[in-house]
Amino acid sequence: MKVVKSNQEVTLPEGVKVWVKGRVVTVRGPRGMLRKDFSHLKIELTKKGPSTIEVQKWFGTRKDISCVRTVCSHINNLAIGVTKGYRYKMRSVYAHFPINCNVTQEGACIEIRNFLGEKFVRRVAMREGVTVAPSLKQKDELILEGNDIEQVSLSAALIQQSTTVKNKDIRKFLDGIYVSLKTTIQADDEA
């Protein structure tokens, strides 16, 4: 069954400017500018006010209509990124061999050594706009920061996947680097 019209509006916070051209949304705020292309989806994006975007889908099936809410969430995430920013904290977990993490290239790359006692050095490059730094307060903790939630979470996933245990019982060998906290940068500084 098709629904004639499905629509939803996104209202962005103060201090955020937004532009819509076709199905490309550009958001600018105090922390920078982000652009997202929704041209793979068959939806209509229209700017209703200075900080309001309407997402429409005409004659959509159930799967098509679900895209409306998804696009609204993406636009909302862009707005949070350019106002507050995203911060992911990761912790090293090990039973015997301490995992050694060195940040290189001013936070653009991380080297992971001594994972399960291996001599192999794992190098993980951060995605564009993401910086990694060791935590000054907590031992064996990494802090990833950036404006784009997709790039920050993808960088965290790359670090976690680089420390997967091979050829052993993963119920027993729980060593690795895992995400421990997902938050925004601005809220952390205020608290």
Side-chain angles (χ1 to χ4, degrees):
M1 190 182 97
K2 291 195 173 185
V3 177
V4 176
K5 182 184 175 188
S6 178
N7 65 330
Q8 192 172 342
E9 284 190 0
V10 184
T11 306
L12 304 176
E14 285 182 36
V16 175
K17 291 184 177 175
V18 65
W19 294 270
V20 178
K21 187 172 183 184
R23 282 177 277 189
V24 178
V25 177
T26 309
V27 180
R28 178 178 281 151
R31 291 184 55 85
M33 188 176 83
L34 291 173
R35 178 177 283 116
K36 188 124 177 94
D37 190 358
F38 297 108
S39 59
H40 62 287
L41 297 170
K42 307 296 184 276
I43 53 164
E44 279 182 31
L45 291 169
T46 49
K47 189 174 174 183
K48 288 287 183 185
S51 62
T52 307
I53 296 176
E54 186 180 38
V55 183
Q56 287 183 333
K57 175 66 185 169
W58 290 87
F59 301 108
T61 59
R62 191 173 168 195
K63 281 188 177 178
D64 297 334
I65 291 166
S66 67
C67 295
V68 173
R69 175 68 189 258
T70 304
V71 170
C72 291
S73 298
H74 280 306
I75 295 168
N76 207 25
N77 286 342
L78 294 177
I80 293 170
V82 295
T83 52
K84 296 180 180 177
Y86 288 99
R87 175 181 290 160
Y88 277 34
K89 291 186 178 180
M90 302 186 80
R91 293 287 302 272
S92 299
V93 178
Y94 50 84
H96 187 273
F97 296 103
I99 299 170
N100 186 0
C101 297
N102 295 327
V103 176
T104 57
Q105 300 171 14
E106 288 89 41
C109 187
I110 186 168
E111 292 180 349
I112 301 163
R113 299 171 194 274
N114 201 33
F115 175 69
L116 294 177
E118 296 173 3
K119 296 294 178 198
F120 177 71
V121 179
R122 292 163 168 79
R123 288 180 181 85
V124 181
M126 296 295 102
R127 302 293 296 211
E128 187 182 352
V130 182
T131 57
V132 62
S135 177
L136 302 172
K137 297 177 183 175
Q138 183 75 43
K139 181 177 173 274
D140 296 327
E141 188 174 60
L142 297 171
I143 298 173
L144 282 77
E145 291 182 346
N147 290 349
D148 193 349
I149 191 171
E150 287 187 14
Q151 302 291 25
V152 175
S153 58
L154 192 59
S155 299
L158 290 171
I159 292 172
Q160 183 176 334
Q161 288 173 357
S162 72
T163 58
T164 50
V165 179
K166 303 277 196 301
N167 304 323
K168 290 183 176 65
D169 186 359
I170 56 170
R171 296 171 296 179
K172 182 71 177 168
F173 290 85
L174 301 170
D175 296 31
I177 303 174
Y178 300 104
V179 173
S180 61
L181 183 71
K182 299 176 184 180
T183 182
T184 55
I185 298 169
Q186 212 70 31
D188 281 357
D189 295 341
E190 291 167 3

